[in-house]
Amino acid sequence: MDEKSWVFHIGPIWFDGTVTTMILLTCLIVFFIVFFCTRKLSMKPTGKQNAIEWLVDFTSGIVSDNMPRKEVSNFSLLSFTLFLFIFVANQIGLVTKIVTPNEISLWKSPTADPFVTMGLAMMVLVLSNLLASERFGLAGYIKNSFLSPMPMLLPIKIMEEFTNVITLGLRLYGNIYAGEVLLSLIASMITSLGWIAIPIAIPLEMIWIAFSLFIGSIQAFVFTTLSMVYIGHQIEVEE
């Protein structure tokens, strides 16, 4: 699958137009979901309010499972936002596929791009270290994050920071990208084999879309959980 994104530039800086557009669309969808579900809140929730409250409780549970209870209020909004954004970003590429005759892709999941997932992973790394340095001070941060429980682990601790980013970003990218590639291959059966392939291609496409929905949900959960684990590891005192 040799697809390319359309690109544009502002001055000397070039941007991936497809990814940029899909990220903006994902943000709009997330905003609409939250806005729609939080209108006319009541003490006895029903329907859409039940759904958004369940999601808030679910993401708060991710925080409470990986951090001290006193930290839940500090990171529940981050967990909620991260989970909902990644969930929508993972699924949006399943809606349709738009590719020009020149093999330029106009529609895909933002998380099917390694720069997006690595950027999210890098954001978690930077945030966790900034929070740790703010909480413990520079000396305390270095001691707690890199010199505990013994100074000789410093090289391993530094390497761990980079491996956390790589594994966190590439795990998400690999799963979503592979799902979109297989959907494209199944759809191409009709082009290569003709109408005779429809009875096989359509059921396969529906089954894989359902499986991709499940995988996308799991990957949003895994990414959010690991993010809370990494942040919790930095802001807790190493015994």
Side-chain angles (χ1 to χ4, degrees):
M1 191 175 72
D2 186 24
E3 291 182 6
K4 302 179 290 292
S5 297
W6 69 275
V7 296
F8 66 94
H9 67 92
I10 300 177
I13 304 175
W14 287 85
F15 295 88
D16 187 319
T18 303
V19 172
T20 302
T21 303
M22 297 310 296
I23 288 176
L24 291 175
L25 180 59
T26 301
C27 292
L28 287 174
I29 293 172
V30 170
F31 174 80
F32 175 79
I33 291 172
V34 175
F35 182 84
F36 176 75
C37 293
T38 54
R39 297 306 91 191
K40 299 180 180 179
L41 298 178
S42 64
M43 295 301 294
K44 294 183 179 180
T46 58
K48 60 183 182 177
Q49 186 178 340
N50 266 332
I52 199 70
E53 288 188 4
W54 176 85
L55 185 57
V56 169
D57 290 340
F58 175 74
T59 51
S60 295
I62 295 176
V63 181
S64 62
D65 288 342
N66 298 286
M67 293 184 184
R69 186 162 295 275
K70 63 181 181 180
E71 302 289 355
V72 173
S73 60
N74 296 329
F75 294 98
S76 57
L77 180 59
L78 173 63
S79 176
F80 172 82
T81 306
L82 198 58
F83 177 86
L84 191 55
F85 175 83
I86 294 175
F87 174 80
V88 174
N90 289 350
Q91 314 300 352
I92 198 171
L94 302 177
V95 175
T96 186
K97 191 71 175 176
I98 303 176
V99 181
T100 68
N102 296 326
E103 295 296 326
I104 296 177
S105 177
L106 301 179
W107 187 289
K108 67 178 182 179
S109 293
T111 43
D113 186 283
F115 292 103
V116 174
T117 58
M118 293 301 291
L120 287 169
M122 183 62 70
M123 178 194 72
V124 173
L125 172 71
V126 172
L127 179 62
S128 63
N129 284 277
L130 284 177
L131 289 171
S133 61
E134 180 184 19
R135 176 161 301 191
F136 303 117
L138 182 59
Y141 154 68
I142 294 174
K143 178 182 177 182
N144 183 65
S145 299
F146 299 103
L147 303 179
S148 295
M150 56 184 65
M152 69 176 60
L153 293 178
L154 176 61
I156 297 177
K157 291 279 190 174
I158 294 175
M159 187 181 299
E160 184 182 29
E161 294 294 307
F162 291 99
T163 56
N164 285 344
V165 173
I166 293 172
T167 56
L168 189 61
L170 292 185
R171 179 189 294 107
L172 178 60
Y173 160 69
N175 280 276
I176 306 306
Y177 178 73
E180 290 201 359
V181 168
L182 193 51
L183 284 173
S184 299
L185 290 175
I186 295 172
S188 67
M189 289 175 59
I190 299 177
T191 305
S192 58
L193 300 179
W195 296 103
I196 194 173
I198 289 181
I200 300 174
I202 290 181
L204 283 176
E205 193 88 352
M206 298 303 294
I207 291 171
W208 191 254
I209 286 175
F211 183 68
S212 295
L213 286 169
F214 173 74
I215 293 298
S217 305
I218 292 298
Q219 288 305 313
F221 170 74
V222 169
F223 191 99
T224 306
T225 300
L226 290 178
S227 298
M228 295 303 108
V229 169
Y230 296 155
I231 294 174
H233 177 73
Q234 292 284 16
I235 65 174
E236 291 179 35
V237 177
E238 191 81 19
E239 299 294 343

